[in-house]
Amino acid sequence: MNLANRLTVSRFFLSLAFVIALSVDLPFRFTTALFLFLVAGITDYADGEIARRFNMETDFGRLMDPLVDKIMMAAAFICLVPLKAVPAWVATVIVSREFLITGLRLLAAAKGRVLSAEKLGKHKTAWQIVTAIFFLLMLAGREYSGVTARAPAADLYMRVWNWGGSFLLVVTVALTVISGAGYLWKNRGLIENQ
């Protein structure tokens, strides 16, 4: 297994560790989850760069890289729902899109084709990562500042949470839907012939 593919596999295990960090009620769990998510995000960028730059692209990488991205993002958005960071419908839209595209890729694989990720899909993933990092930063910041104890700071915190979070969620959901619809349309021949 080459370096790019090892990074992809490591992102899967980082995603599992991220879920565990958010699920266990320990001190600084949000900071730990933020750190794990940041490292996973870096591997997402690094594996693609390494694969392209050093000619390490493989069928395994073309299939597993976007699949592990989907696992990482689904885990993040699902875990953010009970923390009141993300509405359940947003997580549902994101996860549904990822299942649909994965199903399309499996259908293509059954026909001997490998569907690689597209540019708009990569932008969608980048915005999803930024959105998850925003909420994780806000949660981690609360661990250090005790912001809920001071009214003026709490008011500012909630404004940033509400306005910044709303903006990021709108952009993320829009890119999620548009990129998914575009990907399905481009590869509609796989479905039409069923």
PDB file of all heavy atoms in Angstrom, residues 93 97 124 171-183:
ATOM      1  N   VAL A  93     -29.586  15.576   5.111  1.00  0.00           N
ATOM      2  CA  VAL A  93     -29.286  15.943   3.718  1.00  0.00           C
ATOM      3  C   VAL A  93     -27.866  15.535   3.356  1.00  0.00           C
ATOM      4  O   VAL A  93     -27.617  14.927   2.301  1.00  0.00           O
ATOM      5  CB  VAL A  93     -29.488  17.465   3.493  1.00  0.00           C
ATOM      6  CG1 VAL A  93     -28.892  17.913   2.166  1.00  0.00           C
ATOM      7  CG2 VAL A  93     -30.968  17.821   3.553  1.00  0.00           C
ATOM      8  N   ARG A  97     -27.007  12.476   0.696  1.00  0.00           N
ATOM      9  CA  ARG A  97     -26.236  12.748  -0.522  1.00  0.00           C
ATOM     10  C   ARG A  97     -25.064  11.783  -0.623  1.00  0.00           C
ATOM     11  O   ARG A  97     -24.768  11.233  -1.674  1.00  0.00           O
ATOM     12  CB  ARG A  97     -25.761  14.194  -0.510  1.00  0.00           C
ATOM     13  CG  ARG A  97     -25.058  14.650  -1.792  1.00  0.00           C
ATOM     14  CD  ARG A  97     -23.560  14.608  -1.622  1.00  0.00           C
ATOM     15  NE  ARG A  97     -22.887  15.255  -2.744  1.00  0.00           N
ATOM     16  CZ  ARG A  97     -21.725  14.853  -3.222  1.00  0.00           C
ATOM     17  NH1 ARG A  97     -21.129  13.787  -2.717  1.00  0.00           N
ATOM     18  NH2 ARG A  97     -21.157  15.490  -4.215  1.00  0.00           N
ATOM     19  N   LYS A 124     -17.315  21.041  -2.007  1.00  0.00           N
ATOM     20  CA  LYS A 124     -18.346  20.687  -1.029  1.00  0.00           C
ATOM     21  C   LYS A 124     -17.707  20.104   0.226  1.00  0.00           C
ATOM     22  O   LYS A 124     -18.033  20.502   1.341  1.00  0.00           O
ATOM     23  CB  LYS A 124     -19.322  19.693  -1.680  1.00  0.00           C
ATOM     24  CG  LYS A 124     -20.366  19.098  -0.792  1.00  0.00           C
ATOM     25  CD  LYS A 124     -19.999  17.777  -0.147  1.00  0.00           C
ATOM     26  CE  LYS A 124     -19.495  16.731  -1.073  1.00  0.00           C
ATOM     27  NZ  LYS A 124     -19.025  15.518  -0.361  1.00  0.00           N
ATOM     28  N   VAL A 171     -24.259  27.595   2.999  1.00  0.00           N
ATOM     29  CA  VAL A 171     -23.311  27.329   1.910  1.00  0.00           C
ATOM     30  C   VAL A 171     -23.058  25.828   1.786  1.00  0.00           C
ATOM     31  O   VAL A 171     -23.061  25.265   0.684  1.00  0.00           O
ATOM     32  CB  VAL A 171     -21.982  28.091   2.135  1.00  0.00           C
ATOM     33  CG1 VAL A 171     -20.936  27.677   1.109  1.00  0.00           C
ATOM     34  CG2 VAL A 171     -22.213  29.594   2.078  1.00  0.00           C
ATOM     35  N   THR A 172     -22.858  25.169   2.909  1.00  0.00           N
ATOM     36  CA  THR A 172     -22.563  23.735   2.909  1.00  0.00           C
ATOM     37  C   THR A 172     -23.714  22.921   2.341  1.00  0.00           C
ATOM     38  O   THR A 172     -23.504  22.039   1.503  1.00  0.00           O
ATOM     39  CB  THR A 172     -22.218  23.272   4.336  1.00  0.00           C
ATOM     40  OG1 THR A 172     -21.036  23.958   4.763  1.00  0.00           O
ATOM     41  CG2 THR A 172     -21.976  21.784   4.399  1.00  0.00           C
ATOM     42  N   VAL A 173     -24.936  23.214   2.776  1.00  0.00           N
ATOM     43  CA  VAL A 173     -26.095  22.474   2.274  1.00  0.00           C
ATOM     44  C   VAL A 173     -26.281  22.735   0.779  1.00  0.00           C
ATOM     45  O   VAL A 173     -26.539  21.810   0.004  1.00  0.00           O
ATOM     46  CB  VAL A 173     -27.373  22.821   3.073  1.00  0.00           C
ATOM     47  CG1 VAL A 173     -28.619  22.277   2.390  1.00  0.00           C
ATOM     48  CG2 VAL A 173     -27.271  22.267   4.484  1.00  0.00           C
ATOM     49  N   ALA A 174     -26.128  23.988   0.355  1.00  0.00           N
ATOM     50  CA  ALA A 174     -26.284  24.317  -1.067  1.00  0.00           C
ATOM     51  C   ALA A 174     -25.270  23.548  -1.911  1.00  0.00           C
ATOM     52  O   ALA A 174     -25.632  22.931  -2.925  1.00  0.00           O
ATOM     53  CB  ALA A 174     -26.126  25.823  -1.277  1.00  0.00           C
ATOM     54  N   LEU A 175     -24.005  23.557  -1.503  1.00  0.00           N
ATOM     55  CA  LEU A 175     -22.981  22.831  -2.259  1.00  0.00           C
ATOM     56  C   LEU A 175     -23.213  21.321  -2.211  1.00  0.00           C
ATOM     57  O   LEU A 175     -22.957  20.624  -3.194  1.00  0.00           O
ATOM     58  CB  LEU A 175     -21.584  23.167  -1.729  1.00  0.00           C
ATOM     59  CG  LEU A 175     -21.022  24.518  -2.150  1.00  0.00           C
ATOM     60  CD1 LEU A 175     -19.713  24.793  -1.424  1.00  0.00           C
ATOM     61  CD2 LEU A 175     -20.811  24.583  -3.660  1.00  0.00           C
ATOM     62  N   THR A 176     -23.686  20.835  -1.097  1.00  0.00           N
ATOM     63  CA  THR A 176     -23.973  19.403  -0.966  1.00  0.00           C
ATOM     64  C   THR A 176     -25.045  18.983  -1.964  1.00  0.00           C
ATOM     65  O   THR A 176     -24.885  17.993  -2.689  1.00  0.00           O
ATOM     66  CB  THR A 176     -24.416  19.079   0.469  1.00  0.00           C
ATOM     67  OG1 THR A 176     -23.335  19.376   1.368  1.00  0.00           O
ATOM     68  CG2 THR A 176     -24.800  17.621   0.628  1.00  0.00           C
ATOM     69  N   VAL A 177     -26.124  19.743  -2.028  1.00  0.00           N
ATOM     70  CA  VAL A 177     -27.235  19.412  -2.932  1.00  0.00           C
ATOM     71  C   VAL A 177     -26.832  19.610  -4.391  1.00  0.00           C
ATOM     72  O   VAL A 177     -27.063  18.735  -5.240  1.00  0.00           O
ATOM     73  CB  VAL A 177     -28.488  20.253  -2.572  1.00  0.00           C
ATOM     74  CG1 VAL A 177     -29.576  20.095  -3.625  1.00  0.00           C
ATOM     75  CG2 VAL A 177     -29.003  19.868  -1.195  1.00  0.00           C
ATOM     76  N   ILE A 178     -26.217  20.741  -4.704  1.00  0.00           N
ATOM     77  CA  ILE A 178     -25.855  21.052  -6.096  1.00  0.00           C
ATOM     78  C   ILE A 178     -24.826  20.064  -6.625  1.00  0.00           C
ATOM     79  O   ILE A 178     -24.953  19.548  -7.738  1.00  0.00           O
ATOM     80  CB  ILE A 178     -25.341  22.504  -6.211  1.00  0.00           C
ATOM     81  CG1 ILE A 178     -26.497  23.483  -5.961  1.00  0.00           C
ATOM     82  CG2 ILE A 178     -24.712  22.761  -7.575  1.00  0.00           C
ATOM     83  CD1 ILE A 178     -26.056  24.913  -5.726  1.00  0.00           C
ATOM     84  N   SER A 179     -23.790  19.772  -5.822  1.00  0.00           N
ATOM     85  CA  SER A 179     -22.755  18.846  -6.297  1.00  0.00           C
ATOM     86  C   SER A 179     -23.317  17.442  -6.459  1.00  0.00           C
ATOM     87  O   SER A 179     -22.987  16.732  -7.415  1.00  0.00           O
ATOM     88  CB  SER A 179     -21.556  18.835  -5.340  1.00  0.00           C
ATOM     89  OG  SER A 179     -21.911  18.294  -4.080  1.00  0.00           O
ATOM     90  N   GLY A 180     -24.203  17.025  -5.547  1.00  0.00           N
ATOM     91  CA  GLY A 180     -24.807  15.703  -5.652  1.00  0.00           C
ATOM     92  C   GLY A 180     -25.705  15.584  -6.876  1.00  0.00           C
ATOM     93  O   GLY A 180     -25.634  14.604  -7.621  1.00  0.00           O
ATOM     94  N   ALA A 181     -26.538  16.610  -7.105  1.00  0.00           N
ATOM     95  CA  ALA A 181     -27.425  16.601  -8.275  1.00  0.00           C
ATOM     96  C   ALA A 181     -26.609  16.600  -9.562  1.00  0.00           C
ATOM     97  O   ALA A 181     -26.924  15.870 -10.514  1.00  0.00           O
ATOM     98  CB  ALA A 181     -28.366  17.802  -8.235  1.00  0.00           C
ATOM     99  N   GLY A 182     -25.542  17.405  -9.593  1.00  0.00           N
ATOM    100  CA  GLY A 182     -24.686  17.455 -10.778  1.00  0.00           C
ATOM    101  C   GLY A 182     -23.998  16.135 -11.056  1.00  0.00           C
ATOM    102  O   GLY A 182     -23.888  15.699 -12.211  1.00  0.00           O
ATOM    103  N   TYR A 183     -23.541  15.484 -10.006  1.00  0.00           N
ATOM    104  CA  TYR A 183     -22.855  14.196 -10.151  1.00  0.00           C
ATOM    105  C   TYR A 183     -23.819  13.127 -10.651  1.00  0.00           C
ATOM    106  O   TYR A 183     -23.491  12.332 -11.535  1.00  0.00           O
ATOM    107  CB  TYR A 183     -22.264  13.794  -8.797  1.00  0.00           C
ATOM    108  CG  TYR A 183     -21.149  12.798  -8.869  1.00  0.00           C
ATOM    109  CD1 TYR A 183     -19.857  13.202  -9.221  1.00  0.00           C
ATOM    110  CD2 TYR A 183     -21.352  11.464  -8.564  1.00  0.00           C
ATOM    111  CE1 TYR A 183     -18.812  12.294  -9.262  1.00  0.00           C
ATOM    112  CE2 TYR A 183     -20.317  10.552  -8.603  1.00  0.00           C
ATOM    113  CZ  TYR A 183     -19.051  10.973  -8.949  1.00  0.00           C
ATOM    114  OH  TYR A 183     -18.021  10.065  -9.002  1.00  0.00           O
TER     115      TYR A 183
END
